[in-house]
Amino acid sequence: MADCETCCSCWTCPHESSSDSDSGDEPPFPPGLMPVRNEGRSRETQRLNTPAVSSECISKPPSLRDTLLSHPQLSMRKQLFCMTGWNLSMHPDMRVRGTREHYSLHSIMEVRAVGKGEVQIRGVDSGLFLAMTKKGRLYGEPDEFKENTVFVETLSGAFYNYLSRKYAHFGWYVGIKKSGKPKRAHKTEYGQRAVQFLPRHPYPLG
């Protein structure tokens, strides 16, 4: 059996390196970075006056299936560059990992809104949706209606973070380690470089 540290298909391996820390020098920035707009900053300071309602008036939120089938979804193609130096990529065999290639077909993502601050991330080449298992592993999911394919997109300074909506109570983020392997969600924390992403143009400019 191959050593987990050198195996190229470790996305299902139960072992992980404990030496892959989040510290170290910042990676060189790749070409094609997109501007990051902190459009939510002004909304954060606004006071919301919500009228009081009884519990009988609160209806169950629509399911993901109902939302996708009843409302048009806005989407944008981009690459997601992790601050550990890797572009997020999704492959037809359902594996998720990082790639150093600037313009790989597997790293072109379609990020679409499915709710306020909530998105799905689809690999354009594979047609799969980024998802998280109950053990905190990232993989490509073919069923777009599964709840574990939804992530809460937040902007922290100049970086985007993607928190699993289904496992938000655990604080589980999408992350890529310095080795390029997906980081187990239970080891992610807000503020780590592994969970910080910058948007990049999906195709070469010019």
Side-chain angles (χ1 to χ4, degrees), residues 68-127:
L68 293 177
L69 294 179
S70 60
H71 301 286
Q73 311 301 319
L74 298 177
S75 63
M76 176 180 290
R77 290 189 179 185
K78 63 179 73 174
Q79 294 192 57
L80 295 174
F81 175 74
C82 182
M83 286 303 294
T84 52
W86 301 86
N87 297 297
L88 178 69
S89 68
M90 202 174 330
H91 298 258
D93 60 2
M94 302 174 67
R95 286 191 297 173
V96 174
R97 59 174 181 258
T99 177
R100 299 279 196 192
E101 189 177 345
H102 289 325
Y103 295 104
S104 167
L105 290 177
H106 300 309
S107 63
I108 300 174
M109 303 293 164
E110 186 176 76
V111 182
R112 71 180 185 185
V114 296
K116 187 174 181 181
E118 298 175 347
V119 299
Q120 284 182 316
I121 302 173
R122 183 179 73 91
V124 173
D125 181 67
S126 66

Side-chain angles (χ1 to χ4, degrees), residues 41-42 64 67 72 80 154 172 179 181:
R41 178 174 295 178
S42 59
L64 179 58
T67 299
L80 295 174
T154 58
W172 286 3
S179 63
K181 300 174 185 176

Side-chain angles (χ1 to χ4, degrees), residues 130-144:
L130 184 66
M132 184 178 289
T133 71
K134 62 182 180 181
K135 293 185 178 181
R137 300 183 185 277
L138 297 176
Y139 74 101
E141 169 59 56
D143 186 356
E144 64 180 313

Side-chain angles (χ1 to χ4, degrees), residues 167-178:
Y167 303 110
H169 55 293
F170 293 141
W172 286 3
Y173 290 88
V174 174
I176 302 178
K177 300 195 296 182
K178 290 195 300 181

